[in-house]
Amino acid sequence: MTKAIKLLTALPQAQRERLMELAEEVSFPEDTRIFEAGGTADRFWVIRSGAVHLDTDVTARQRVTVATLGAGDLLGWSWLFPPYAWDFGAVAFSNVRAYQFDGPAVLALCVEDPLLGLSLVRTVAEILAGRLETTRGKLMDQYAIRRRSGLI
């Protein structure tokens, strides 16, 4: 398994300080839907405390959790790429405190400070690669279980 990368601690100090100038402290009570898949992705969060489930619809009335995020984790990356729409939904699994960042303001800062932009995109890419590797491992575990039980 890959090591979880935390956005704020992975950024060089100077870039982290510039980014944090745009941070707003927010909170979400337990069971609050933070965003819906397909909605406009114009912000992101770094979770300070609590847990968030990323989910996806499997039927019109059923959602499945695809990942759980906690303290230090990046919540939301779709603000970086057109069409700026969420790929998953997110719900507070417990009371959540987070730093919220306005996506367009951060993108403008990245244009102003290309070193910050490069550091941010590289770090987000590393986070996503780690999540993909974790998901791949879970799928392989499920495959092995099903194979052992004769389901495949």
Side-chain angles (χ1 to χ4, degrees), residues 84-95:
Y84 308 108
W86 300 118
D87 289 315
F88 300 101
V91 64
F93 182 67
S94 62
N95 292 328

Side-chain angles (χ1 to χ4, degrees), residues 1 136-146 148:
M1 288 285 163
R136 179 182 130 349
K138 288 178 182 177
L139 287 171
M140 294 305 292
D141 290 346
Q142 287 298 312
Y143 174 79
I145 290 167
R146 297 181 110 204
R148 281 193 303 270

Side-chain angles (χ1 to χ4, degrees), residues 10 15 17 29 42 56 60 64 89 92 97 110 117 119 144 146:
Q15 284 80 33
E17 288 172 1
D42 59 358
T56 190
V64 63
R97 291 179 35 222
C110 290
S119 294
R146 297 181 110 204

Side-chain angles (χ1 to χ4, degrees), residues 62-126:
Q62 184 181 12
R63 291 187 170 128
V64 63
T65 298
V66 295
T68 300
L69 306 176
D73 284 335
L74 169 67
L75 172 60
W77 55 268
S78 298
W79 61 276
L80 263 173
F81 307 103
Y84 308 108
W86 300 118
D87 289 315
F88 300 101
V91 64
F93 182 67
S94 62
N95 292 328
V96 172
R97 291 179 35 222
Y99 293 118
Q100 179 175 282
F101 297 87
D102 177 86
V106 172
L107 289 172
L109 181 60
C110 290
V111 169
E112 177 187 315
D113 183 347
L115 186 57
L116 173 91
L118 178 60
S119 294
L120 183 63
V121 170
R122 279 185 147 166
T123 302
V124 170
E126 287 181 52

